[in-house]
Amino acid sequence: MRIDHVSFVAGPEGLDAAVTRLGEAIGVTPVDGGHHPRFGTRNMVLPLADDRWVEVVEPLQHPATDKVPFGQAVKARSEAGGGWLGWVVAMDDLAPAEERLGRDSVPGNRHRPNGTELTWRQIGVKGLIADPQLPFFLRWDEGQVHPSKVGPSESRLTGLQFAGDLQRLLAWLGLAGQPSIDRDDWEPDVAFDFVAPNGTPGLLSVTFQTPQGEVTV
C-alpha cells in the first residue's frame, strides 16, 4: 500500500489553464492523459519521481458524470471552484479494502490520446465524497505503463495537509499506527499534517520538492 497520486480538479479556468499553472509551480511538463469513458471526465498528468503523479481532471458533458461516483465528485468540486479533490492509495491486492468496505471494487479505464488504454480497479470513491480527507484505493492491472512514467520529472511529493481526524484516516486505511504509506518498508516518506479537526474535512494542500525548492499548492 502506497500513495499513488493526488487529484486536482480544474475550476472555471478550465483544464488546460489549471494544469499549466500547476505544472509551472512544481516544475513539471503536463502530458495529456485522455478520457475516462466510465466516469465522464478527462485528465492531464504531471509525472513525479518515486512512482507518483498529479492528476488534473475536469468533468465532461457526459451522462456518466452524473451517474458514477468519481464523475460526481469531480463535477461537484469543479462547480465549487476547483482545487484538491483528494489522494489515491495503490494496493497490490484490493481484497482487504473490499472486505473493510463490504463491496467489490469496480473497473476503471482511460483512453489515451495515442489510442492505448490504461486499466485498473478501484474502490472507495463514495467514502471520499462523504469524508474528503479519505483516499480511495486502486490496483493497476498487469502490464500497464504507470502514469508517472509518461515523462521525466525531478519533482517529488513530500507532504499532505488535511483538515480532519487522524484516527478516522487510520481506520479507513486499516492501519493501527501512524500512516506510513511507502512501497516496501512502511517507513513514511510523505509528511502528514492534520489541522482543523473540527472543520470541514478534506485535503487542504500538497507540498512538493522541486528543482527550484519546496513548493506548497
Side-chain angles (χ1 to χ4, degrees), residues 81-157:
W84 291 113
L85 175 66
W87 56 301
V88 184
V89 170
M91 302 177 70
D92 294 332
D93 181 5
L94 289 176
E98 291 173 327
E99 183 177 353
R100 283 198 310 276
L101 301 184
R103 57 182 179 272
D104 293 334
S105 59
V106 298
N109 66 312
R110 172 153 54 84
H111 292 159
R112 297 188 184 100
N114 64 5
T116 61
E117 185 177 40
L118 185 69
T119 62
W120 64 91
R121 295 191 69 86
Q122 66 184 50
I123 186 172
V125 177
K126 290 181 180 179
L128 178 149
I129 292 173
D131 189 350
Q133 68 180 306
L134 304 178
F136 67 91
F137 306 93
L138 66 74
R139 185 204 68 212
W140 296 106
D141 291 340
E142 291 186 10
Q144 305 302 299
V145 177
H146 192 264
S148 66
K149 306 302 182 186
V150 299
S153 183
E154 296 180 43
S155 298
R156 52 183 22 92
L157 174 65

Side-chain angles (χ1 to χ4, degrees), residues 25-40:
I26 66 175
V28 178
T29 301
V31 177
D32 190 349
H35 296 74
H36 304 108
R38 295 177 183 271
F39 308 147

